[in-house]
């Protein structure tokens, strides 16, 4: 190609290029500026069934972005943080998620970009998350105003067990009823973590009567651990003790032992180890009876030979005194015989009134097969007690009118050789000038059987461990002394008393 033709082509190309550039510049100058809609406010909450809608018209291609991760756009069920579109009317679905949802109001800005410009066209308001705390045993029925947390009465373990607490915030227990006891480690909890706790009765609580939700003190108050601006209180109630229930703070099988002179007591030990029980220099024991109404104290004496005997005011050696509705003091009389045992039952009125039926506790308190208090009445045993007896050996002797006989009574061990005992005594007195009665009781011995030799017309009657020796005024003194020999359950002689007159 010639140089001339090349120049002509370059000229044409230059004209064309100039035309294109001129046309492009002219189009830019003619394109309209982006028009942004007025800013609006949208209210969105996580979990709402329908998303909010943002409607705007774009006169140029656009992009829309959210300033917060929790604020998203819904496109065909998918959540995204930005969108892009073309010219025309637009409807955008806006969703607030529960990401980093705390307990303060939050705002997100939606910014629209067109034609190289950006402007906020919407403010999305997500309200603060509501604090939520549930306390329950059954998640379907959480405790609340219509379903109070209820203590149930039981002799053992009066508590509200396996209670679960869960909240969407860090919480703590700010207040709870005085009659409730809560382990300190369960007074606080973390957001989202289930805490399992047992609410117990306070040891000082009066468990006899109900606690109702009408009393504003009977509530457990939870607050948020950081600010305490949130508070929820759960009513706590207690049904109270049934009328026929009774409870004793002491261990039910504690065995108290009184000294023979009734001036001291101690708690008997079942084990030989150690230094033995601590002796208390006091002539009565104080106990508690916990029951909602009135009650009766019933005392029984137990002897191997006779079993359980109901004690009344004429035959008792156990004395009780109700100091007030709860406190009872127990004392015993001096024991001049063998070691003895007893039981005290505290029986609520509603039960006591039924005891004259076919199975009368007061007439037949023990189980025939086991010679023990009937099992159904064990729950009423306030106290098991025993009392040391007088040291075995010798005899207490009184005249029929109660005057003690000590003169003329001497211990003569050798007189017991023929009986196999060294507990041998002799009573020598002037011959009575009138009919006389002697009341004789062996000290510290249980009489299983007896053998004796008596002069003519002398009588001997026995009641338990006591003998009544009748001497007529005309008694003839024989050459051989009278005697009374005491034998135990195994027919072994444990004591012998010789009697003679001069």
């Amino acid at each position: 190609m010639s140089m001339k033709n090349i120049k002509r082509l370059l000229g044409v190309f230059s004209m064309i290029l100039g035309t294109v550039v001129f046309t492009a510049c002219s189009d830019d100058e003619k394109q309209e500026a982006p028009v942004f809609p007025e800013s609006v406010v949208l209210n969105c909450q996580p979990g709402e069934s329908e998303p909010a809608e943002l409607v705007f018209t774009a006169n140029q291609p656009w992009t829309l972005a959210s300033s917060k991760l929790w604020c998203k756009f819904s496109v065909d069920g998918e959540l995204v943080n930005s969108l892009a579109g073309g010219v025309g009317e637009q409807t955008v679905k806006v969703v607030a998620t529960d990401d980093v949802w705390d307990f303060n109001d939050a705002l997100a800005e939606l910014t629209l970009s067109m034609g190289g410009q950006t402007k906020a066209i919407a403010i999305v308001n997500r309200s603060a998350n509501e604090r939520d705390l549930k306390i329950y045993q059954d998640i379907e029925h959480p405790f609340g105003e219509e379903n109070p947390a209820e203590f149930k009465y039981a002799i053992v373990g009066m508590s509200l067990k396996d209670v679960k607490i869960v909240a969407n915030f860090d919480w703590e227990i700010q207040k709870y009823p005085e009659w409730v006891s809560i382990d300190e480690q369960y007074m606080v909890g973390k957001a989202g973590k289930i805490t399992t706790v047992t609410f117990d009765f306070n040891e000082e609580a009066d468990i006899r009567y109900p606690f109702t939700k009408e009393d504003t003190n009977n509530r457990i108050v939870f607050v948020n651990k950081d600010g305490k601006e949130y508070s929820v209180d759960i009513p706590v109630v207690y049904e109270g003790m049934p009328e026929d229930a009774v409870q004793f703070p002491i261990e039910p099988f504690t065995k108290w032992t009184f000294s023979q002179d009734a001036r001291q007591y101690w708690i008997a030990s079942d084990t030989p180890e150690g230094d033995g029980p601590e002796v208390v220099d006091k002539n009565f024991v104080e106990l508690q009876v916990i029951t909602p109404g009135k009650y009766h104290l019933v005392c029984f004496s137990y002897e191997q030979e006779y079993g359980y005997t109901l004690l009344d005011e004429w035959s008792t050696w156990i004395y009780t005194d109700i100091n007030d509705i709860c406190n009872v003091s127990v004392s015993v009389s001096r024991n001049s015989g063998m070691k003895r045992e007893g039981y005290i039952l505290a029986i609520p009125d509603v039960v006591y009134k039924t005891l004259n039926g076919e199975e009368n506790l007061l007439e037949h308190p023990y189980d025939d097969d086991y010679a023990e208090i009937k099992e159904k009445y064990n729950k009423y045993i306030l106290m098991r007690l025993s009392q040391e007896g007088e040291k075995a050996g010798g005899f207490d002797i009184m005249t029929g009118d109660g005057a003690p006989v000590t003169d003329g009574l001497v211990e003569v061990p050798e007189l017991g050789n023929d009986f196999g005992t060294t507990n041998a005594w002799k009573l020598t007195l002037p011959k009575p000038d009138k009919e006389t009665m002697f009341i004789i009781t062996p000290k510290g011995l249980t009489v299983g059987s007896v053998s004796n030799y008596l002069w003519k017309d002398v009588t001997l009657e026995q009641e338990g461990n006591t003998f009544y020796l009748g001497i007529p005024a005309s008694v003839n003194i024989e050459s051989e002394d009278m005697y009374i020999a005491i034998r135990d359950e195994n027919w072994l002689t444990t004591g012998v008393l010789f009697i003679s007159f001069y």
Side-chain angles (χ1 to χ4, degrees):
M1 180 179 289
S2 67
M3 182 62 68
K4 183 178 180 181
N5 288 335
I6 292 173
K7 287 182 178 179
R8 185 181 294 124
L9 286 172
L10 287 172
V12 172
F13 179 75
S14 297
M15 289 177 65
I16 293 171
L17 180 62
T19 302
V20 171
V21 171
F22 176 79
T23 302
C25 291
S26 298
D27 288 344
D28 284 344
E29 289 175 359
K30 291 179 180 178
Q31 184 176 1
E32 61 181 327
V35 178
F36 290 91
E38 292 293 324
S39 181
V40 296
V41 176
L42 301 177
N43 292 309
C44 296
Q45 284 298 101
E48 288 181 330
S49 58
E50 294 293 333
E53 289 187 345
L54 174 65
V55 180
F56 64 93
T57 299
N59 64 340
Q60 290 188 22
W62 55 270
T63 59
L64 186 66
S66 168
S67 65
K68 301 291 184 181
L69 290 176
W70 57 261
C71 182
K72 298 181 183 294
F73 306 111
S74 177
V75 180
D76 297 329
E78 182 181 353
L79 298 180
V80 296
N81 280 95
S82 63
L83 292 175
V87 176
E89 185 174 285
Q90 313 294 325
T91 299
V92 177
K93 295 181 178 180
V94 182
V95 174
T97 68
D98 60 4
D99 294 339
V100 292
W101 193 18
D102 60 19
F103 304 106
N104 297 303
D105 292 342
L107 299 177
E109 202 172 54
L110 304 183
T111 55
L112 182 65
S113 298
M114 289 189 301
Q117 299 181 40
T118 299
K119 183 179 178 181
I121 65 168
I123 299 296
V124 180
N125 175 36
R126 183 180 70 173
S127 299
N129 189 8
E130 292 185 4
R131 285 183 169 85
D132 180 54
L133 180 143
K134 286 184 174 60
I135 172 172
Y136 60 91
Q137 285 176 316
D138 173 8
I139 187 61
E140 300 297 325
H141 303 91
F143 296 131
E145 206 60 45
E146 301 306 318
N147 182 34
E150 184 175 8
F151 280 65
K152 295 288 187 181
Y153 173 79
I155 292 180
V156 178
M158 289 180 296
S159 59
L160 197 58
K161 293 185 176 181
D162 297 326
V163 175
K164 294 177 173 56
I165 305 169
V166 63
N168 60 356
F169 58 94
D170 291 351
W171 55 267
E172 65 179 303
I173 294 176
Q174 184 185 63
K175 182 181 177 184
Y176 57 94
E178 290 184 354
W179 52 274
V180 173
S181 173
I182 305 176
D183 193 313
E184 215 171 276
Q185 66 177 314
Y186 300 118
M187 295 288 286
V188 296
K190 291 287 188 181
K193 182 179 179 181
I194 297 176
T195 299
T196 302
V197 61
T198 293
F199 298 127
D200 287 310
F201 263 99
N202 188 308
E203 290 183 358
E204 304 300 321
D206 188 343
I207 64 172
R208 293 174 296 167
Y209 309 115
F211 296 109
T212 66
K213 71 175 186 178
E214 283 69 34
D215 186 339
T216 57
N217 293 316
N218 296 331
R219 309 181 87 80
I220 299 177
V221 180
F222 295 85
V223 296
N224 60 300
K225 191 174 179 182
D226 297 327
K228 294 187 172 58
E229 72 273 7
Y230 169 85
S231 173
V232 60
D233 56 310
I234 305 296
V236 185
V237 300
Y238 166 57
E239 62 186 351
M241 292 180 73
E243 284 187 315
D244 62 345
V246 64
Q247 222 177 297
F248 314 113
I250 61 169
E251 163 62 39
F253 293 99
T254 299
K255 192 168 185 180
W256 303 83
T257 303
F258 286 87
S259 61
Q260 179 268 333
D261 62 5
R263 295 179 180 178
Q264 298 173 319
Y265 70 82
W266 56 91
I267 298 176
S269 174
D270 293 330
T271 58
E273 295 85 1
D275 299 328
E278 180 182 354
V279 176
V280 180
D281 290 317
K282 202 172 182 181
N283 62 0
F284 65 93
V285 173
E286 293 177 295
L287 301 174
Q288 276 194 315
V289 176
I290 300 173
T291 187
K294 293 183 178 179
Y295 57 92
H296 288 262
L297 294 176
V298 181
C299 300
F300 291 96
S301 184
Y302 175 77
E303 297 176 47
Q304 187 171 352
E305 185 177 0
Y306 301 105
Y308 292 91
T309 304
L310 178 66
L311 299 176
D312 56 31
E313 60 181 315
W314 309 109
S315 62
T316 192
W317 54 273
I318 303 172
Y319 299 93
T320 60
D321 187 21
I322 300 177
N323 303 324
D324 55 44
I325 193 63
C326 285
N327 296 309
V328 174
S329 61
V330 178
S331 59
V332 297
S333 61
R334 180 185 177 88
N335 184 12
S336 58
M338 284 194 64
K339 181 176 181 178
R340 53 192 178 186
E341 296 182 5
Y343 288 77
I344 304 173
L345 276 61
I347 306 174
D349 262 10
V350 292
V351 178
Y352 188 83
K353 291 174 182 177
T354 68
L355 295 183
N356 57 357
E358 293 181 7
E359 187 180 340
N360 192 336
L361 170 70
L362 304 184
E363 292 296 328
H364 193 69
Y366 52 87
D367 188 306
D368 292 323
D369 293 331
Y370 302 103
E372 284 288 340
I373 289 279
K374 291 175 181 175
E375 186 176 355
K376 64 185 292 185
Y377 298 114
N378 278 342
K379 60 185 176 182
Y380 302 121
I381 296 177
L382 168 64
M383 188 181 198
R384 292 172 168 85
L385 62 95
S386 62
Q387 185 181 16
E388 295 293 298
E390 202 163 36
K391 185 178 178 181
F395 294 84
D396 282 327
I397 304 174
M398 296 188 302
T399 61
D401 56 8
V405 177
T406 56
D407 292 340
L409 180 64
V410 293
E411 185 176 11
V412 191
E414 59 271 21
L415 291 179
N417 290 342
D418 292 339
F419 295 89
T421 181
T422 58
N423 183 28
W425 298 72
K426 183 171 182 178
L427 176 65
T428 304
L429 295 174
K431 177 183 176 181
D433 56 4
K434 61 180 180 179
E435 185 176 342
T436 303
M437 173 72 70
F438 292 100
I439 303 171
I440 303 168
T441 305
K443 292 181 179 181
L445 297 176
T446 297
V447 178
S449 60
V450 64
S451 64
N452 61 75
Y453 167 73
L454 303 175
W455 298 334
K456 186 179 179 181
D457 297 328
V458 173
T459 61
L460 182 68
E461 295 182 7
Q462 178 186 353
E463 289 186 8
N465 281 2
T466 302
F467 298 90
Y468 299 88
L469 184 70
I471 309 295
S474 58
V475 64
N476 291 319
I477 299 174
E478 299 180 12
S479 58
E480 188 176 349
D481 293 342
M482 296 184 289
Y483 68 82
I484 302 171
I486 308 301
R487 291 195 291 251
D488 61 17
E489 293 85 355
N490 298 315
W491 284 73
L492 297 176
T493 301
T494 54
V496 59
L497 174 66
F498 290 86
I499 304 155
S500 66
F501 295 120
Y502 58 85

